[in-house]
Amino acid sequence: MSIIALFGATELGLVYAFVGLGVYLSFRILDFPDLTVDGSFPLGAAVTAVLIVAGINPWVATGAAIIAGCCAGLVTAFLNVRFKILHLLASILTMIALFSINIRIMGRPNVPILNQETVLTPFYDLGLQSYLVRPLFLAVLVIVAVLALAWFLSTDFGLAMRATGANSQMARAQGVSTNLYIYVGMALSNGLVGLAGALFAQTNGFADVTSGVGTIVVGLAAVIVGETLFRARSILIILIGVVVGSIIYRIAIQLALSFDDIGLRASDVNLATAVLVALALILPRLRKGGAPAT
């Protein structure tokens, strides 16, 4: 694997680190299996691309993508909390609806922004190679997001949210408004995913309605790999593990696709993803010396 391919994999890993953080928030903190991310990721990309093409400041467009992602998460939470629809089914309904909404937003399946100004444009004048500018810029954003999320989850509000996911009945018995924390948590989760979609569109030069396919698997891979590598109770270390897991996952995919001897092609990326996630789930069991339950 060439150095440029390595930086490219790292760059993509940093983009999907926001997905991993969002999935961790819903899946681990709230105990809310959420497939909305497969729709909110291209939603963030679509909103950003359309606004940038319309001449809107790219930072404003990125902020709008975050808000759009938050709204998608709120819809899923509303279906679950207000109408008692199973969380998995509620997220599937939102994800399916977002496919049509994303096409409506873009007016077509794909919107290119290769020649448009993005949040990265001013940093290309620093004299660094483009394949270095993007990972460094994304790394700074990821660090800010990790620190902010770790701080938030350590506040009284964040601790109440964690209690909601750990034991909602006990939390309600202690006077915690669990519904409120589900709404806020789902909004934050999909807001992070919307941000990932916005950054994906700006680093890759396009927004595509199919770019969200398999996003939930990528997010889960980051969480699982991170938890396998970083076995700690500190929320900050866990979040760092999710970021590292996302980067390792993308590098592993790139390595797998780089080996011509094993016959993998670019179209096999989902197969490689499924195998890597399965291994990440199986290896901890094998390391403990236990066989899968029958």
Side-chain angles (χ1 to χ4, degrees):
M1 183 170 60
S2 67
I3 188 67
I4 294 180
L6 176 61
F7 277 108
T10 303
E11 173 191 325
L12 203 53
L14 288 168
V15 169
Y16 280 101
F18 291 100
V19 176
L21 294 173
V23 170
Y24 177 79
L25 196 57
S26 61
F27 187 65
R28 289 291 192 231
I29 298 298
L30 287 176
D31 193 24
F32 195 115
D34 181 28
L35 296 182
T36 310
V37 297
D38 276 22
S40 55
F41 183 86
L43 173 64
V47 169
T48 301
V50 169
L51 290 178
I52 287 177
V53 170
I56 303 297
N57 183 284
W59 286 104
V60 175
T62 302
I66 296 173
I67 294 173
C70 290
C71 291
L74 286 173
V75 171
T76 297
F78 181 73
L79 292 174
N80 173 253
V81 172
R82 179 66 179 83
F83 298 106
K84 307 302 179 185
I85 298 176
L86 182 68
H87 37 50
L88 196 60
L89 181 56
S91 64
I92 291 174
L93 292 174
T94 307
M95 176 190 68
I96 293 173
L98 284 173
F99 185 86
S100 297
I101 292 172
N102 291 335
I103 294 180
R104 282 275 189 174
I105 291 172
M106 294 189 292
R108 55 187 185 276
N110 185 288
V111 175
I113 55 173
L114 281 172
N115 298 320
Q116 303 292 330
E117 182 179 353
T118 68
V119 293
L120 288 157
T121 301
F123 299 97
Y124 288 126
D125 297 329
L126 297 178
L128 296 174
Q129 296 291 336
S130 61
Y131 65 83
L132 290 174
V133 172
R134 292 190 295 270
L136 289 174
F137 174 79
L138 292 170
V140 172
L141 290 185
V142 168
I143 290 171
V144 172
V146 166
L147 293 176
L149 192 56
W151 170 81
F152 170 76
L153 292 174
S154 299
T155 62
D156 290 342
F157 194 94
L159 290 172
M161 182 181 294
R162 293 160 68 179
T164 298
N167 191 326
S168 59
Q169 292 183 346
M170 180 62 73
R172 282 194 293 270
Q174 298 297 320
V176 174
S177 178
T178 55
N179 290 346
L180 170 65
Y181 293 101
I182 291 174
Y183 279 119
V184 174
M186 290 299 294
L188 287 176
S189 171
N190 284 277
L192 286 167
V193 177
L195 172 60
L199 295 172
F200 178 86
Q202 294 178 76
T203 54
N204 288 271
F206 70 92
D208 192 280
V209 71
T210 62
S211 61
V213 175
T215 301
I216 182 62
V217 178
V218 178
L220 286 173
V223 172
I224 293 166
V225 172
E227 289 179 340
T228 302
L229 296 175
F230 292 78
R231 296 182 176 275
R233 294 183 179 274
S234 169
I235 193 68
L236 177 60
I237 301 301
I238 294 173
L239 294 177
I240 292 173
V242 171
V243 174
V244 173
S246 177
I247 296 172
I248 291 176
Y249 161 76
R250 291 310 314 184
I251 292 176
I253 291 291
Q254 184 62 44
L255 282 172
L257 297 178
S258 298
F259 288 130
D260 296 333
D261 294 340
I262 60 178
L264 288 178
R265 297 175 294 184
S267 59
D268 298 324
V269 64
N270 286 340
L271 172 62
T273 296
V275 172
L276 286 174
V277 174
L279 287 174
L281 290 169
I282 294 170
L283 287 177
R285 290 176 176 268
L286 297 179
R287 187 165 57 185
K288 293 178 181 177
T294 58

